Amino acid sequence: QVQLAESGGCLAQPGGSLRLSCAASGSDFSIDFMGWYRQVPGKQRELVSIITSVGNTNYVDSVKGRFTRSRDNAKNTVYLQMGSLKPEDTAVYYCASRVTQRTTGWTFYWGQGTQVTVST
């Protein structure tokens, strides 16, 4: 089994910054792609950022210029650096990944989510 563990969510002030982390753990797997989603109550889960199959990073229009994705391959960890936070950024942020394992092929995983609240 592969597990995704998010961290870094907390209460932040408008205009502030946060960095979310997602670490993948397990054995005998390789990461095909990892991305970030977010969801607020009563609304659909929204794609925030994802790396394409050709290595490009895409961001939803509402966060372009404010959020940045990075990766530490040695730690199987991805980060979402969030700046210029707005109240509408408040959501549960989820890490997602498709991984390939020798015994099972590819599998899509979700993390459990980390709450980000932007408020005064």
Side-chain angles (χ1 to χ4, degrees), residues 9 11-12 15-17 22 26 41 72 100 109 113:
L11 175 65
S17 299
C22 175
D72 186 336
T100 297
Y109 290 92

Side-chain angles (χ1 to χ4, degrees), residues 17-91:
S17 299
L18 287 173
R19 189 179 74 164
L20 305 183
S21 300
C22 175
S25 62
S27 61
D28 296 326
F29 74 95
S30 61
I31 298 174
D32 301 324
F33 62 82
M34 298 184 73
W36 289 95
Y37 294 74
R38 65 185 182 185
Q39 187 172 26
V40 300
K43 296 184 179 180
Q44 289 186 304
R45 190 168 296 183
E46 176 188 40
L47 174 66
V48 177
S49 178
I50 195 168
I51 299 294
T52 69
S53 61
V54 295
N56 295 321
T57 301
N58 295 325
Y59 299 93
V60 67
D61 287 343
S62 62
V63 308
K64 287 181 178 178
R66 300 190 298 117
F67 291 8
T68 302
R69 181 185 182 275
S70 62
R71 178 174 180 174
D72 186 336
N73 290 330
K75 298 180 179 179
N76 286 326
T77 300
V78 295
Y79 306 91
L80 185 66
Q81 181 68 47
M82 306 186 297
S84 300
L85 287 167
K86 303 175 180 179
E88 52 263 43
D89 294 320
T90 297

